[in-house]
Amino acid sequence: MEYPNEIKEHIKLLGGLSRPQITAYGDLILYNFPVSSLVYSYNRKNKTTEVFSMESLSVDNSFDLEKRKDNDLKGLFVNEMITHRFKEVHYCAEANVYFRVHYGAKESMEDKQRSIYLMVCDEKSKTIREYLLPSRFSERYVVMGHHILFQCKESNDSQLYFARLDVRGL
């Protein structure tokens, strides 16, 4: 599997946004990059890669590389921290849907809160629903089968709190 050309060509400008996020389901390896709504599906049997887009209904799906070209190292870091980012793609066979979390952009480094969304897509990668998640959900989560456990911000030194979403009912 190779990096897509659009990522390879700009890898120095993208920094951590060029690191792949990977999941696997059966013979498919799904990978994407935080900077892009594109998803790559590598079939291990026939060694082919298909590309599809899982576009958000709520945030800008594009990424302006021109803004990054003149930045020094600190500027690139700040841009990476405040830009929107798409997370890894998951598949729920029971509901025959793909889903993923993505974060909205921040206005500045001083912003403590960023919007968190959950996208649900059909088998053709068309976004059929998108949810703005409650502000008490943190950016930390784990996927377990058809459940997503979001760590809640109310967690303290002695207890962790989680909100559980079942993607079959979304």
Side-chain angles (χ1 to χ4, degrees):
M1 297 185 318
E2 290 199 26
Y3 269 70
N5 286 335
E6 57 272 9
I7 300 293
K8 277 196 293 192
E9 290 171 8
H10 305 291
I11 203 157
K12 288 184 179 174
L13 292 174
L14 294 173
L17 298 175
S18 66
R19 291 190 186 111
Q21 301 173 117
I22 303 165
T23 54
Y25 295 92
D27 288 324
L28 297 180
I29 298 174
L30 303 174
Y31 61 103
N32 68 290
F33 300 87
V35 71
S36 172
S37 63
L38 295 178
V39 178
Y40 302 85
S41 176
Y42 178 75
N43 187 311
R44 294 185 305 161
K45 277 188 179 176
N46 62 23
K47 309 224 182 306
T48 59
T49 301
E50 291 184 35
V51 182
F52 56 94
S53 183
M54 286 181 69
E55 292 193 356
S56 170
L57 303 173
S58 305
V59 303
D60 184 2
N61 292 281
S62 64
F63 186 75
D64 188 0
L65 282 168
E66 292 302 314
K67 286 183 184 176
R68 298 178 71 88
K69 285 188 176 174
D70 296 327
N71 282 344
D72 59 8
L73 191 56
K74 181 180 177 188
L76 290 173
F77 174 77
V78 168
N79 198 299
E80 183 177 326
M81 293 295 103
I82 66 173
T83 193
H84 66 273
R85 47 185 75 218
F86 293 94
K87 299 298 288 177
E88 70 277 358
V89 176
H90 297 274
Y91 178 68
C92 177
E94 292 177 57
N96 195 28
V97 294
Y98 291 91
F99 60 96
R100 80 162 157 202
V101 171
H102 69 89
Y103 309 134
K106 294 164 111 177
E107 291 296 318
S108 71
M109 288 290 283
E110 288 74 39
D111 283 351
K112 300 293 182 217
Q113 182 69 34
R114 92 167 54 226
S115 303
I116 303 173
Y117 299 88
L118 174 64
M119 298 170 56
V120 181
C121 300
D122 65 15
E123 68 279 356
K124 294 181 170 62
S125 79
K126 181 178 184 290
T127 304
I128 50 178
R129 285 181 288 289
E130 187 165 23
Y131 302 93
L132 173 62
L133 298 176
S135 61
R136 68 184 183 90
F137 287 17
S138 79
E139 293 181 25
R140 295 187 178 135
Y141 67 92
V142 63
V143 174
M144 298 173 62
H146 54 269
H147 289 110
I148 309 172
L149 297 176
F150 284 93
Q151 184 177 345
C152 295
K153 292 181 180 174
E154 297 90 29
S155 299
N156 58 42
D157 290 340
S158 61
Q159 288 185 308
L160 292 173
Y161 296 97
F162 292 92
R164 182 178 67 183
L165 296 179
D166 187 333
V167 297
R168 295 175 303 179
L170 299 177

